[in-house]
Amino acid sequence: MKFTILTLFPDMVMSGLNDSIIKRGMDNGLLEVGAVNIRDFSADKHKRVDDYTYGGGAGMLMQAEPVYQALSSVTSESQKKPRVVYVTPQGRPFCQKMAEEFAKEEQLVLLCGHYEGIDERVLEECVTDYVSIGDYVLTGGELASMVIVDAVARLVPGVLHNETSAETESFHGELLEYPQYSRPEEWHGKRVPEVLLSGNSKKIREWRLTEAEKRTKERRPDLYEKYQLLQLAKKRLSVRKIHHMDMIEAINRGRATLIYMDETECLLMENQSGTYFHTTYEATEQETYRPHFLDKLGPESLDKIILLMEHNEGCVSEIEKELGLHMEYQNHTCALTRREKLPIRGLYAEDGKEGPTGISIEPLTLSDLDYALGLYKLQFDDPEYMKHRIENDPMYLARFHGAPAGIMGMHVDGSIGMLEVDPAFRRKHIGFALETYLYNKMIENGEIPYGYIFHTNQISINMQEKLGMYVAKEYSFWLHK
Ligand code: ADE
């Protein structure tokens, strides 16, 4: 990902960012950070870029033309128009969700103001986002830009070597992070909580959740309130647990934003994919049912819905009509709700190593991209999607006596899928091995594996049931713009 910072103080931002993890990301070719000196674009012989404010008032303002020229020098060399972020105390408050949104971009341009700010006309013409890093005023935008680059850069796949640590930490699903301890076991008379020494991963997970809740309630009551609303949604969704497992798991995994909720229905957004999920908790009797959110949300919020998973058939036609979406597929949700890992049954040896069956499982990497695409293209031909999946979530490759034999992984919305067994290796339990391995990894992580089965695919329904999955009897409906 490329960051370009437009500033009067390029050395300040470059020296601040050219160290530690960001530097390693640059050295590895994952990040590119550059600064452009706005002063280089001044037509003035003294290289001035500021002037008095019309209408009077204290201080000087940065003029439109040098800023415009500096921005044009950056945007004209980009194939796709990049987002241009003006950092200002008058912007939208910067937060983790915004960092996640920015991290999806190929390039981000950050514009730093100085003096009293920048002539409004060039902002109107060029800026796509106004962002503040907090309710206080700095002497210029440089520190704010550095904060944004740092928070976004660490989310770029590969920048943090420990991939999972970008997810399990502060601001994960409205909860602050739990307390953590390192050696020694006792320091200044304080012992590490016993449970953390127990090796019991279920107990440790429970303890961490309780501590995270306590800490959030105490330190950030505003976040805690949002967390409680999501917990209430989860409780209401549990009346049809399997059917709603996609929504429940989005909440459990800290990936849900509550968009609308009342006593009968709920609309969530899954943060990573931007997919919306809607349901009425209980099935409704009416043939058509107008969801309340259509009348409660403003046009700006409704316009953002381009992919929606509807859990009540009665709502489909109203949503299609009102939001201009159309139904593409219907499917059943299936979920593996057991808390103990599945038996391996000799499918492979410990840790996915090759067992007597000849099957082994390992993480799928970018070097297997062509193989994975060759298999998956039968269903879905999008190289970028597969690359994104490999970079962002666990995907697995099965081998049969060393030869690649199948793949499986997780969709961007968190459902499991993309199971493909190489036609050359059918009937060798490759599919069962991949599923068992992936489900066990998820169970170890405290997650409930769930997926969608195309409604006519009886073979797949039978296979999932054999593995202990419950299949919802109801249909869910994918609605696309
Ligand atoms: N420039 C000056 N103060 C700022 C702030 N709080 N956030 C972003 N940019 C700024």
Side-chain angles (χ1 to χ4, degrees), residues 416-446:
I416 43 140
M418 295 183 281
L419 172 61
E420 293 292 334
V421 175
D422 201 312
F425 297 103
R426 293 264 157 86
R427 302 191 161 276
K428 299 196 185 310
H429 307 296
I430 306 278
F432 273 121
L434 278 163
E435 293 197 275
T436 304
Y437 191 83
L438 173 61
Y439 297 169
N440 282 349
K441 283 272 172 208
M442 294 179 75
I443 291 169
E444 240 173 64
N445 251 343

Side-chain angles (χ1 to χ4, degrees), residues 320-481:
E320 282 184 323
K321 202 167 64 193
E322 196 79 24
L323 302 183
L325 305 181
H326 63 96
M327 208 272 280
E328 291 229 338
Y329 312 101
Q330 64 192 71
N331 44 227
H332 298 285
T333 302
C334 58
L336 187 68
T337 53
R338 58 186 279 154
R339 302 287 64 205
E340 320 78 49
K341 292 208 269 185
L342 293 167
I344 298 173
R345 294 201 189 95
L347 285 166
Y348 46 82
E350 235 7 80
D351 299 329
K353 294 202 181 65
E354 188 175 317
T357 54
I359 301 173
S360 62
I361 314 270
E362 62 193 70
L364 189 70
T365 65
L366 282 181
S367 59
D368 310 309
L369 181 62
D370 285 343
Y371 176 74
L373 279 172
L375 275 187
Y376 194 53
K377 143 158 112 200
L378 310 168
Q379 280 201 38
F380 188 64
D381 191 7
D382 183 353
E384 282 310 308
Y385 184 71
M386 180 63 78
K387 189 162 170 273
H388 182 268
R389 295 294 72 231
I390 294 175
E391 286 178 334
N392 288 276
D393 276 310
M395 294 274 308
Y396 294 103
L397 171 74
R399 292 185 184 272
F400 189 70
H401 294 298
I407 60 164
M408 184 168 193
M410 198 181 274
H411 283 291
V412 62
D413 52 46
S415 60
I416 43 140
M418 295 183 281
L419 172 61
E420 293 292 334
V421 175
D422 201 312
F425 297 103
R426 293 264 157 86
R427 302 191 161 276
K428 299 196 185 310
H429 307 296
I430 306 278
F432 273 121
L434 278 163
E435 293 197 275
T436 304
Y437 191 83
L438 173 61
Y439 297 169
N440 282 349
K441 283 272 172 208
M442 294 179 75
I443 291 169
E444 240 173 64
N445 251 343
E447 294 175 339
I448 298 176
Y450 75 88
Y452 301 115
I453 305 181
F454 197 57
H455 72 292
T456 54
N457 192 346
Q458 196 56 45
I459 294 172
S460 186
I461 294 175
N462 294 346
M463 180 163 167
Q464 298 309 328
E465 285 184 335
K466 213 163 151 185
L467 274 162
M469 282 237 171
Y470 292 105
V471 181
K473 57 184 187 313
E474 304 94 328
Y475 291 127
S476 294
F477 304 85
W478 283 108
L479 310 178
H480 289 241
K481 197 127 210 169

Side-chain angles (χ1 to χ4, degrees), residues 179-181 185 190-198 207 211:
Q180 302 202 73
Y181 305 85
E185 269 180 42
K190 294 169 191 274
R191 275 193 63 73
V192 172
E194 274 323 303
V195 57
L196 299 180
L197 309 173
S198 69
W207 180 86
E211 292 299 313

Side-chain angles (χ1 to χ4, degrees), residues 179-232:
Q180 302 202 73
Y181 305 85
S182 181
R183 284 196 297 181
E185 269 180 42
E186 190 172 319
W187 180 83
H188 282 201
K190 294 169 191 274
R191 275 193 63 73
V192 172
E194 274 323 303
V195 57
L196 299 180
L197 309 173
S198 69
N200 182 332
S201 55
K202 182 165 175 270
K203 285 239 152 63
I204 294 175
R205 237 189 344 264
E206 285 167 2
W207 180 86
R208 286 179 167 166
L209 177 64
T210 310
E211 292 299 313
E213 286 174 343
K214 265 205 291 210
R215 177 167 280 193
T216 311
K217 190 172 177 185
E218 215 173 274
R219 298 186 188 176
R220 291 291 305 272
D222 55 323
L223 286 182
Y224 190 69
E225 213 169 283
K226 286 193 195 166
Y227 172 74
Q228 278 184 307
L229 280 176
L230 281 169
Q231 296 310 300
L232 175 60

